[in-house]
Amino acid sequence: MSRTVLNCGYVPLMDSAPLIIARELGFAAEEGLDLNLIRQPSWSALRDMLALGHLDAAQMLSPMPVAMSLGLGGLPAKIDSLMGLSVNGTVFGVSQKLAHDLGPVPFGDPHALLRALAGRGGSPLRVGVPFPFSMHRLLLSYWTQFAPDLAVEVVTVPPPRMADAVADGHVDAFWVGEPWGSAIVGRGVGSILMAGRHVWGFAPEKVLAARHDWIADNPDPTRHLMRAVYQSARWLDIEKNKPLAVEILGRSEHLNLSQEVIEPALTGLLTLTQGGSPVMVDQFLMFHNHAASFPWRSQAAWIAARLGADAAGIALAKQCFRSDLYRKYLGAIGADLPGASEKVEGAIAEKTAVASSRGQMILAPDAFFDGRMFDFAATGDE
């Protein structure tokens, strides 16, 4: 039986794993898809390829569909987020020189780290992030707003080049997705001081995105792609599967990195500085558990608000996160669906059972480091 060829772009990061596993373990083939994964050198290249129709779908930073749909930066296009690919999975760290100047800072304490950075004085802190419209950038601005005396210069650096940027002194600090933080530590040019989850406990990191018109014109390929990725994400979050996942992801055609660099993201055991002992980071990276793949419209609203959108822009952003299609296409294969498509962001302090279609949904803590909560007045839940 012939398969539908579907061209999907990705950037080599751990959270491309649901796409890679969907192809390599046959989840896509079972859905009748020939999933052609096309590696991209940067997020801007991927954005343009999708907007111009050279890609059918793509792994994207969660703010990218919102920003593009709002007409911010580069090529404007109406882009939808079909589902989440990952939650969390990023790290913040500094060069070895800056780590020495700062002295001991407790790992995972955003308040202490902010005080240390604000007290360094001198020139602005140059922080490498992978893209202007990224969760890294939004969390950085959210976090550093509490240190008004800290001058920050944001430098865009593609993830695979971040280690070179740190080594060359092009940036003083970095906020990047794994495995590139571990790669920096492995080279001995930087140290990890906190994870992204220490600023927001449950931040949508990457999403599966496509053009709005392509989705409307291709309902069957959309449904099959979402189902394949859903099954892949569920497989990835099963503990016994992680050794095989590490082996597959490390292959030259995918991430092309050693297992030692890839494994920390999947296990949550991060080595913070070269030669140091690994530290367990709870809830470091999730693909499926705790509704990680559900496109919460309240998260889209938070993103839009951080991008400076007004009420109309926030309403538009909510429509970009296609919880309607998630319910329509994945409920039939047994996905546990939350009772609402929006929630108060930052309100969950501990694992909490919530109303869902199968009665089995437990949401993970999603607190912000400053204790704030965000309620965008949920409307239009499907």
Side-chain angles (χ1 to χ4, degrees), residues 19-42:
L19 297 174
I20 294 170
I21 295 300
R23 174 180 171 83
E24 294 298 320
L25 293 190
F27 295 116
E30 290 173 5
E31 290 290 334
L33 296 178
D34 181 358
L35 186 58
N36 183 28
L37 298 181
I38 303 174
R39 183 169 175 155
Q40 299 296 304
S42 67

Side-chain angles (χ1 to χ4, degrees), residues 9-347:
Y10 79 102
V11 171
L13 288 152
M14 285 302 303
D15 32 35
S16 62
L19 297 174
I20 294 170
I21 295 300
R23 174 180 171 83
E24 294 298 320
L25 293 190
F27 295 116
E30 290 173 5
E31 290 290 334
L33 296 178
D34 181 358
L35 186 58
N36 183 28
L37 298 181
I38 303 174
R39 183 169 175 155
Q40 299 296 304
S42 67
W43 291 113
S44 58
L46 181 144
R47 172 201 61 199
D48 294 348
M49 289 282 282
L50 183 65
L52 294 171
H54 300 306
L55 297 171
D56 300 314
Q59 165 207 21
M60 276 192 157
L61 296 152
S62 59
M64 289 178 73
V66 173
M68 293 175 72
S69 296
L70 292 175
L72 301 176
L75 294 173
K78 193 170 184 183
I79 304 296
D80 289 348
S81 171
L82 294 169
M83 59 192 298
L85 288 179
S86 65
V87 165
N88 299 335
T90 67
V91 295
F92 175 87
V94 299
S95 67
Q96 288 299 79
K97 179 183 183 303
L98 182 51
H100 178 269
D101 293 344
L102 292 178
V105 179
F107 171 71
D109 186 336
H111 299 281
L113 178 54
L114 200 56
R115 289 193 298 269
L117 291 171
R120 62 185 276 274
S123 58
L125 179 72
R126 295 166 299 169
V127 183
V129 300
F131 196 66
F133 302 110
S134 64
M135 185 55 64
H136 318 65
R137 178 68 180 87
L138 297 187
L139 292 181
L140 175 66
S141 64
Y142 183 87
W143 174 53
T144 56
Q145 71 180 325
F146 293 93
D149 295 332
L150 175 62
V152 175
E153 178 184 339
V154 177
V155 182
T156 300
V157 182
R161 301 178 190 169
M162 193 68 77
D164 288 338
V166 175
D168 297 342
H170 186 54
V171 298
D172 308 304
F174 55 90
W175 202 316
V176 72
E178 280 292 279
W180 299 108
S182 290
I184 291 169
V185 171
R187 282 182 57 175
V189 298
S191 297
I192 295 172
L193 298 181
M194 71 175 179
R197 70 159 305 277
H198 291 123
V199 174
W200 184 7
F202 202 84
E205 180 53 35
K206 303 298 189 305
V207 296
L208 176 63
R211 296 183 310 283
H212 182 83
D213 57 354
W214 184 89
I215 294 168
D217 292 342
N218 296 274
D220 288 340
T222 298
R223 180 178 73 252
H224 292 305
L225 176 62
M226 291 178 68
R227 290 183 175 187
V229 172
Y230 176 85
Q231 299 288 13
S232 174
R234 183 166 63 177
W235 183 91
L236 277 162
D237 271 356
I238 297 174
E239 193 67 30
K240 68 179 182 180
N241 295 335
K242 292 182 179 181
L244 178 57
V246 170
E247 188 275 322
I248 293 172
L249 294 171
R251 294 174 185 171
S252 60
E253 66 269 31
H254 300 313
L255 302 186
N256 194 27
L257 291 167
S258 70
Q259 295 188 16
E260 290 73 19
V261 172
I262 293 173
E263 190 171 16
L266 290 183
T267 62
L269 280 169
L270 298 183
T271 298
L272 309 181
T273 191
Q274 191 176 50
S277 299
V279 173
M280 173 57 72
V281 181
D282 183 44
Q283 211 170 295
F284 178 73
L285 172 64
M286 288 167 285
F287 302 105
H288 170 80
N289 291 344
H290 307 299
S293 65
F294 187 78
W296 294 97
R297 291 189 162 173
S298 47
Q299 293 177 343
W302 186 90
I303 289 168
R306 293 304 302 174
L307 292 176
D310 58 13
I314 290 173
L316 175 61
K318 288 183 181 183
Q319 297 305 311
C320 295
F321 273 41
R322 300 299 301 271
S323 52
D324 57 329
L325 294 184
Y326 191 99
R327 295 178 183 282
K328 180 178 180 180
Y329 293 151
L330 299 183
I333 61 170
D336 198 11
L337 306 172
S341 296
E342 303 184 37
K343 56 188 174 70
V344 178
E345 297 298 333

Side-chain angles (χ1 to χ4, degrees), residues 202 286 288-292 296 336 348 350-356 359-365:
F202 202 84
M286 288 167 285
H288 170 80
N289 291 344
H290 307 299
W296 294 97
D336 198 11
I348 303 175
E350 56 188 31
K351 291 181 179 179
T352 302
V354 297
S356 66
Q360 300 173 350
M361 182 168 288
I362 298 176
L363 298 184

